[in-house]
Amino acid sequence: VIAQIVDQRYEIKEALSPDGSIAAGEVYDVSDTYCWHVLAQRGPFGLHHTAESQLCAHPCYEKFKLEAYLGAPIAVDGRVYGVLSFSSSLPTTAFGQRDYDLMGMFAQWLDHEIARERDLLALRGAQDELARLALTDELTGIYNRRAIGARMQEELNRAQRYAQPVSVALVDFDRFKQLNDQHGHIAGDRALQLFAELATKQLRNLDSVGRWGGEEFVLLLPNTDANAAMTTAQRLLETIRGAGCTVD
């Protein structure tokens, strides 16, 4: 059994039980488990015949009826993560120091594996975030110039290969400098963000929108001829005109 402990919650993460009596996903109060005594011991803990031990009346024995138990704490980055344990419904011979040492080694190996897995997940997350930032405009959250440029090249190549229409619309804010001068750059930033939000909602899933620079945006519309692109741009223009913009 490999169990994770969070506060008083004891959850079985992995279990190999011949009779199926212990299964992954089961949750108990940690004080009702044998692992409670492992944590109190702060190291390997074992019972070779629980019925004849000081724990014969403890809830862990009443609940699980395990006669033999050997467990050790799993600590990840210096903090207790859970417990690794082996158990049996039948008693066994008394455990010796070699058994406890071996149990500690198993748990320590798991310490390193869990920590390594966490580090790998964190690294992948950081790499994904870096990849996202490399393609995303920081202010609006849509494609940046490099990314929308790459998307345009992809769609132009596809349009040529399959003889399909593709349209590109360049959107420029009128009197944007005046907006910044009169209401401040926060208002200007919010206007750019609002446009990005509304354009993303208006366009189809196969369309793309990117910030080309400053107050300029690009709409990329695959499988769209000039007339349909004009209709899309007009619809977006009407949506923008009808939108309100508030700045906190």
Side-chain angles (χ1 to χ4, degrees):
V1 176
I2 301 174
Q4 183 180 13
I5 298 170
V6 179
D7 297 326
Q8 290 296 111
R9 188 175 185 271
Y10 169 96
E11 180 181 0
I12 296 175
K13 307 300 288 186
E14 300 286 344
L16 179 60
S17 178
D19 60 359
S21 59
I22 300 176
E26 294 179 0
V27 177
Y28 303 96
D29 190 293
V30 68
S31 62
D32 291 340
T33 68
Y34 289 78
C35 296
W36 177 257
H37 306 284
V38 176
L39 299 178
Q41 185 82 5
R42 297 182 179 273
F45 170 82
L47 295 165
H48 71 281
H49 196 175
T50 309
E52 297 183 356
S53 74
Q54 71 275 20
L55 298 186
C56 60
H58 193 276
C60 67
Y61 183 60
E62 296 176 357
K63 188 182 293 289
F64 299 102
K65 294 298 181 184
L66 298 174
E67 292 293 352
Y69 176 91
L70 184 61
I74 302 170
V76 180
D77 296 331
R79 299 183 62 183
V80 174
Y81 173 91
V83 171
L84 169 67
S85 64
F86 297 91
S87 57
S88 173
S89 58
L90 301 174
T92 187
T93 56
F95 297 118
Q97 188 58 46
R98 182 178 179 181
D99 300 311
Y100 292 116
D101 291 344
L102 189 59
M103 195 69 210
M105 290 173 61
F106 281 150
Q108 191 175 49
W109 173 74
L110 274 177
D111 298 346
H112 296 314
E113 287 302 304
I114 293 173
R116 187 176 67 87
E117 183 67 19
R118 283 188 174 183
D119 291 343
L120 285 174
L121 289 174
L123 179 60
R124 291 192 191 107
Q127 290 173 336
D128 290 344
E129 181 64 11
L130 285 174
R132 185 189 68 80
L133 291 174
L135 301 175
T136 304
D137 175 62
E138 184 177 0
L139 177 65
T140 61
I142 59 177
Y143 283 133
N144 58 22
R145 180 175 182 134
R146 185 173 111 181
I148 194 65
R151 286 283 298 119
M152 279 194 287
Q153 189 60 57
E154 291 173 4
E155 291 301 334
L156 287 172
N157 292 341
R158 183 177 292 110
Q160 290 179 340
R161 188 180 310 121
Y162 299 106
Q164 294 177 339
V166 60
S167 294
V168 176
L170 181 64
V171 179
D172 184 76
F173 275 50
D174 291 336
R175 297 181 295 279
F176 187 71
K177 184 179 184 301
Q178 182 180 344
L179 171 65
N180 276 331
D181 291 342
Q182 290 184 356
H183 301 284
H185 289 282
I186 293 178
D189 288 349
R190 183 66 191 112
L192 297 175
Q193 291 168 338
L194 180 62
F195 173 81
E197 292 169 11
L198 295 176
T200 301
K201 291 178 181 177
Q202 281 276 334
L203 299 180
R204 303 166 299 177
N205 290 335
L206 58 84
D207 299 330
S208 300
V209 58
R211 188 178 178 191
W212 195 245
E215 68 273 22
E216 294 179 333
F217 293 83
V218 167
L219 308 180
L220 178 59
L221 311 172
N223 299 331
T224 305
D225 60 21
N227 290 332
M230 184 61 71
T231 299
T232 298
Q234 188 64 38
R235 186 172 64 246
L236 178 58
L237 178 60
E238 292 171 359
T239 299
I240 297 297
R241 283 174 172 165
C245 180
T246 59
V247 180
D248 296 330

